[in-house]
């Protein structure tokens, strides 16, 4: 068995003046992964340390300061039938679930229950176009009375776009997304609040893209322009009418990727924020993320 490979990732945010650190390594010939995360400020004091242990069947998240642990386990009893369990040690609460394949892996039926149980288990049916679940919840006006709640999401391809309907807590969110090689048009509507918004994205070239969002119920809008140079440099500039400020940022390293894929395994962002009502309070911030493989 080879020596475990240590990976250290450190990220600094000048706005909060805090270092976010992560140390990880593979254990037992890649059968598990051990990770330690913590923060420290300019005084060097360590805060929010957490330990993670992940493997194929079991995971542990331990909060050192709170002396609390979250345990999760999963096991395939037979092909097509999986058992899952989770337990929060300090809260003494958890959940158990059984997931079964129906007519192939594209159709699944899940039955889950809180531990200790406070009502009927939640039933969820998953299918290629979405999922629907049935659960009990307390009525807001009368906590002693529990009623059946139905939540779900359905997706369908219509006219070269994707239509999505999401129903949750008596709210219905409707969204349509049309995309091609040069343009994206995404209107959305929430009921019963009647909150209507529309997003528009236009790609002028592989390196230049403009995004625009307008909310009809509040008249708030925002716009972002992106210019990309290769895979390692990205310039963004935008304006947010709700916050009444403009901004510009430069990314060195893939903004959406991981530090390990960036040159020298390092990503950096420099951002300038300019409030519309007080230009003199403009702020220049930066973030740096570096990874070392030991």
């Amino acid at each position: 068995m080879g020596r475990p490979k240590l990976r250290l990732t450190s990220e600094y945010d000048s706005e909060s003046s805090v270092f976010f650190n992560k140390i990880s390594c593979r254990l037992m010939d890649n059968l598990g992964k051990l990770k330690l995360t913590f923060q420290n400020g300019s005084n060097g004091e360590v805060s929010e340390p957490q330990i993670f242990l992940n493997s194929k069947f079991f995971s542990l998240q331990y909060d050192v300061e709170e002396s609390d642990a979250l345990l999760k386990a999963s096991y395939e009893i037979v092909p097509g039938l999986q058992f899952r369990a989770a337990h929060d040690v300090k809260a003494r609460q958890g959940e158990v679930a059984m997931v079964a394949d129906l007519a192939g892996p594209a159709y699944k039926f899940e039955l889950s229950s809180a531990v200790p149980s406070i009502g009927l288990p939640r039933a969820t049916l998953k299918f290629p176009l979405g999922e629907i679940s049935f659960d009990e919840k307390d009525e807001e006006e009368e906590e002693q009375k529990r009623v059946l709640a139905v939540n779900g999401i359905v997706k369908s391809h219509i006219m070269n776009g994707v239509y999505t309907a999401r129903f949750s807590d008596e709210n219905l969110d409707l969204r349509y997304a049309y995309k091609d090689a040069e343009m994206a048009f995404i209107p959305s509507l929430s009921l019963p609040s009647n909150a209507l918004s529309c997003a528009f994205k236009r790609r002028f070239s592989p390196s230049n893209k403009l995004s625009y969002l307008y909310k009809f119920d509040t008249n708030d809008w925002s716009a972002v322009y992106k210019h990309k140079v290769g895979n390692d440099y990205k310039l963004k500039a935008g304006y947010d009418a709700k916050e009444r400020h403009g901004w510009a940022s430069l990314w060195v390293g893939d903004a959406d990727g991981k530090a390990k894929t960036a040159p020298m395994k390092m990503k950096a962002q420099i951002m300038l924020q300019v409030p519309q009502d007080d230009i003199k309070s403009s702020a220049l911030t930066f973030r740096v993320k570096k990874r070392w493989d030991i």
Side-chain angles (χ1 to χ4, degrees), residues 73-128:
S74 64
Y75 181 72
E76 188 176 41
I77 301 174
V78 295
L81 182 62
Q82 185 183 46
F83 170 78
R84 294 204 316 262
H87 180 66
D88 189 314
V89 175
K90 197 168 187 178
R92 296 183 179 180
Q93 295 178 347
E95 183 184 69
V96 293
M98 296 289 291
V99 183
D101 293 348
L102 303 176
Y107 295 84
K108 294 181 180 293
F109 178 74
E110 178 178 317
L111 200 62
S112 60
S113 178
V115 179
S117 177
I118 56 175
L120 295 176
R122 180 174 66 250
T124 303
L125 177 63
K126 300 181 180 181
F127 47 93

Side-chain angles (χ1 to χ4, degrees), residues 227-239:
H227 177 70
K228 191 175 182 181
V229 181
N231 295 323
D232 302 325
Y233 300 92
K234 181 178 289 187
L235 174 66
K236 297 182 181 181
Y239 177 79

Side-chain angles (χ1 to χ4, degrees), residues 13 19 31 66 88 95 150-151 159-160 171 173 181 241 258 275 285:
D13 189 335
F19 284 90
L31 293 179
E66 298 293 332
D88 189 314
E95 183 184 69
V150 181
N151 302 313
M159 298 176 59
N160 297 325
N171 295 317
D173 296 326
K258 296 182 178 181
T285 61

Side-chain angles (χ1 to χ4, degrees), residues 244-279:
R244 295 180 62 83
H245 79 270
W247 58 272
S249 69
L250 173 65
W251 268 104
V252 180
D254 188 359
D256 300 322
K258 296 182 178 181
K260 68 178 181 180
T261 60
M264 298 179 62
K265 298 182 180 179
M266 182 177 72
K267 294 169 53 178
Q269 181 197 34
I270 302 174
M271 174 176 282
L272 173 65
Q273 301 185 56
V274 183
Q276 180 178 336
D277 301 325
D278 188 7
I279 298 179

Side-chain angles (χ1 to χ4, degrees), residues 72-205:
K72 294 183 179 180
S74 64
Y75 181 72
E76 188 176 41
I77 301 174
V78 295
L81 182 62
Q82 185 183 46
F83 170 78
R84 294 204 316 262
H87 180 66
D88 189 314
V89 175
K90 197 168 187 178
R92 296 183 179 180
Q93 295 178 347
E95 183 184 69
V96 293
M98 296 289 291
V99 183
D101 293 348
L102 303 176
Y107 295 84
K108 294 181 180 293
F109 178 74
E110 178 178 317
L111 200 62
S112 60
S113 178
V115 179
S117 177
I118 56 175
L120 295 176
R122 180 174 66 250
T124 303
L125 177 63
K126 300 181 180 181
F127 47 93
L129 297 180
E131 66 178 59
I132 185 170
S133 63
F134 301 88
D135 195 8
E136 278 191 330
K137 69 174 185 177
D138 295 325
E139 281 192 334
E140 295 181 359
E141 298 179 355
E142 190 176 351
E143 296 184 358
Q144 299 299 326
K145 185 178 180 181
R146 297 181 62 82
V147 297
L148 181 65
V150 181
N151 302 313
I153 181 173
V154 177
K155 297 183 178 181
S156 179
H157 291 269
I158 302 175
M159 298 176 59
N160 297 325
V162 178
Y163 172 79
T164 304
R166 184 189 301 272
F167 182 78
S168 177
D169 296 329
E170 300 182 357
N171 295 317
L172 178 62
D173 296 326
L174 303 175
R175 183 176 183 268
Y176 178 74
Y178 169 83
K179 296 182 180 180
D180 59 23
E182 298 180 349
M183 184 188 72
F185 176 67
I186 310 174
S188 61
L189 173 66
S190 296
L191 300 173
S193 64
N194 293 325
L196 176 64
S197 65
C198 182
F200 177 78
K201 300 179 181 180
R202 179 72 165 85
R203 184 183 296 274
F204 301 100
S205 69

